Amino acid sequence: MSKGLPEARTDTAMSELVPEPRPKPAVPMKPVSINSNLLGYIGIDTIIEQMRKKTMKTGFDFNIMVVGQSGLGKSTLVNTLFKSQVSRKASSWNREEKIPKTVEIKAIGHVIEEGGVKMKLTVIDTPGFGDQINNENCWEPIEKYINEQYEKFLKEEVNIARKKRIPDTRVHCCLYFISPTGHSLRPLDLEFMKHLSKVVNIIPVIAKADTMTLEEKSEFKQRVRKELEVNGIEFYPQKEFDEDLEDKTENDKIRQESMPFAVVGSDKEYQVNGKRVLGRKTPWGIIEVENLHHCEFALLRDFVIRTHLQDLKEVTHNIHYETYRAKRLNDNGGLPPNKKLCASLKRSGEGFILKCWEQVSHRQPFLSSDPPTN
């Protein structure tokens, strides 16, 4: 009997050294495809109507920024775009009005309703841009403003008791007005778009296109596209964000033919062939704003409002804002950007709340097994 004891101990020691085989992790089953020929009506198709009703009740936000030198018709074009007096000022530049010494940022909000759908429109103007003798780094206040709106949204997003609907002041679209010189882009144009295209959706437009002949306009558009390509400047819609072949085909046509849009703006109506039309009166006749034979305003309007408005908002949220958010949280070591509140939580000993905050910022699941620490 005594000889068997050491053998038992050896067996026990061996069992301690050799780990038990771990159970293989459960592999999720692949979704089984169901025949589209359902036995009866379910009602899945009503989700579109549900979304439509909810959107009509709550409405949505759209924030558009206009950038360019004074006298290019920025305010007039925005008024024409939304067929209402929504810009900072609707009249032409007054000789008595002083040109700002620095770039200013002025935002005006409106609520527009059409067909029962409400849109909270904010127009952000940038008076003073490009109007100085020395325009070095004049895009910095604009870039700072755009990033401030991302910061504001981020702080609301990481709050413990955040609002049901976070106010969205982020810039969804930036119309950059190019002077109709007919020659080439200015260094300021290139520098602005090079810096700002990384943080906002830029749509370049050639202002007051009626000052050029058809041949001059066509050549200038090609030259601008070439200069943007050579300088590595990507405007909206960016190639890498095309989701499928249909998007790519549609956006390639816009990028290669329409951009930059050569536009004419006017909020005055004239009688043409018995119809009231928006236009500009010249000694040679009426330039109709919405006539594609006269300018490309209708293409710009359809692009910004009727076909790509939702995509502009999604690219802003999923690309530009997410890039800013990831950088800010990474710089903070994963903590929310409100350092003062974070420090006060540490000093007050409210570790449980701080832990919740850290887990939210890291997108970690909150474990019920973690008890609060007093």
Side-chain angles (χ1 to χ4, degrees):
M1 295 292 291
S2 61
K3 291 181 180 179
L5 287 172
E7 293 179 3
R9 288 176 185 172
T10 305
D11 293 343
T12 306
M14 288 296 291
S15 65
E16 290 176 357
L17 291 173
V18 179
E20 295 182 2
R22 294 182 181 179
K24 292 182 179 181
V27 179
M29 293 178 63
K30 292 182 179 180
V32 181
S33 59
I34 302 175
N35 191 347
S36 59
N37 296 324
L38 302 174
L39 298 176
Y41 179 70
I42 299 176
I44 300 172
D45 57 347
T46 62
I47 185 66
I48 304 299
E49 181 62 19
Q50 294 173 43
M51 293 168 66
R52 189 187 70 85
K53 285 183 178 179
K54 190 171 182 180
T55 303
M56 289 184 71
K57 284 182 181 179
T58 58
F60 63 96
D61 302 303
F62 187 63
N63 308 315
I64 185 170
M65 174 180 277
V66 289
V67 181
Q69 281 183 299
S70 299
L72 291 180
K74 301 186 298 293
S75 300
T76 303
L77 184 73
V78 174
N79 289 336
T80 314
L81 203 59
F82 295 99
K83 294 192 174 181
S84 54
Q85 302 295 320
V86 294
S87 66
R88 181 175 61 92
K89 57 179 183 178
S91 59
S92 58
W93 178 68
N94 188 350
R95 290 182 180 275
E96 297 178 359
E97 184 181 350
K98 293 182 179 179
I99 296 175
K101 292 183 179 180
T102 57
V103 178
E104 300 176 2
I105 310 291
K106 296 188 177 181
I108 296 182
H110 303 269
V111 176
I112 300 175
E113 185 172 351
E114 183 182 45
V117 180
K118 292 181 181 178
M119 178 174 74
K120 184 184 177 184
L121 173 70
T122 302
V123 179
I124 304 109
D125 199 358
T126 55
F129 176 83
D131 293 334
Q132 312 303 319
I133 296 175
N134 181 8
N135 291 304
E136 186 178 1
N137 299 333
C138 65
W139 59 81
E140 288 182 352
I142 299 172
E143 186 176 15
K144 181 184 176 185
Y145 175 86
I146 293 170
N147 286 329
E148 283 174 351
Q149 308 318 304
Y150 291 147
E151 183 74 11
K152 190 184 298 184
F153 194 91
L154 176 59
K155 286 183 178 179
E156 288 287 345
E157 194 178 46
V158 299
N159 277 340
I160 298 171
R162 60 183 180 185
K163 299 173 183 176
K164 185 178 179 181
R165 189 183 178 195
I166 300 175
D168 190 1
T169 60
R170 297 170 297 180
V171 180
H172 302 123
C173 171
C174 173
L175 294 181
Y176 186 75
F177 286 70
I178 299 168
S179 182
T181 61
H183 301 296
S184 61
L185 292 172
R186 300 173 303 161
L188 176 61
D189 300 329
L190 294 171
E191 285 298 318
F192 175 87
M193 287 189 272
K194 191 178 291 184
H195 283 83
L196 273 292
S197 61
K198 300 172 184 176
V199 296
V200 71
N201 298 316
I202 290 183
I203 300 176
V205 297
I206 299 172
K208 296 190 173 181
D210 54 324
T211 59
M212 296 186 289
T213 65
L214 295 177
E215 292 78 12
E216 288 172 343
K217 182 175 69 175
S218 178
E219 289 176 6
F220 189 45
K221 282 167 65 76
Q222 291 178 19
R223 196 174 293 120
V224 169
R225 284 197 294 267
K226 185 66 177 176
E227 286 189 67
L228 293 175
E229 182 182 352
V230 168
N231 286 274
I233 298 170
E234 287 201 354
F235 47 81
Y236 179 85
Q238 299 89 336
K239 292 179 182 178
E240 64 264 34
F241 303 153
D242 293 339
E243 294 183 358
D244 50 38
L245 185 60
E246 183 183 354
D247 278 356
K248 185 180 184 305
T249 304
E250 181 184 353
N251 291 336
D252 275 346
K253 187 177 180 181
I254 294 169
R255 286 187 285 257
Q256 296 167 11
E257 298 178 12
S258 300
M259 290 286 184
F261 295 98
V263 298
V264 175
S266 175
D267 47 14
K268 294 182 179 179
E269 288 188 337
Y270 295 95
Q271 194 86 10
V272 177
N273 298 327
K275 293 182 181 180
R276 301 290 295 179
V277 297
L278 290 171
R280 283 169 55 86
K281 190 174 182 180
T282 71
W284 304 276
I286 305 294
I287 299 170
E288 299 174 39
V289 169
E290 297 179 282
N291 188 334
L292 285 174
H293 294 291
H294 294 186
C295 76
E296 296 169 348
F297 169 81
L299 293 178
L300 174 65
R301 177 202 58 206
D302 292 353
F303 177 67
V304 172
I305 300 175
R306 301 183 183 182
T307 62
H308 285 70
L309 189 147
Q310 182 59 29
D311 189 65
L312 282 163
K313 290 168 64 68
E314 288 178 2
V315 171
T316 299
H317 180 77
N318 297 329
I319 307 297
H320 298 305
Y321 169 68
E322 280 300 318
T323 302
Y324 179 87
R325 175 186 168 278
K327 185 179 183 301
R328 286 289 286 116
L329 292 181
N330 185 58
D331 291 345
N332 267 9
L335 291 175
N338 197 332
K339 295 179 181 177
K340 290 183 180 179
L341 180 55
C342 196
S344 67
L345 286 174
K346 285 182 177 178
R347 286 196 301 270
S348 63
E350 296 179 2
F352 179 62
I353 296 177
L354 182 60
K355 188 172 184 179
C356 293
W357 202 349
E358 290 173 352
Q359 288 178 336
V360 167
S361 67
H362 283 289
R363 291 296 188 269
Q364 296 174 350
F366 183 76
L367 302 177
S368 59
S369 59
D370 292 341
T373 56
N374 295 324

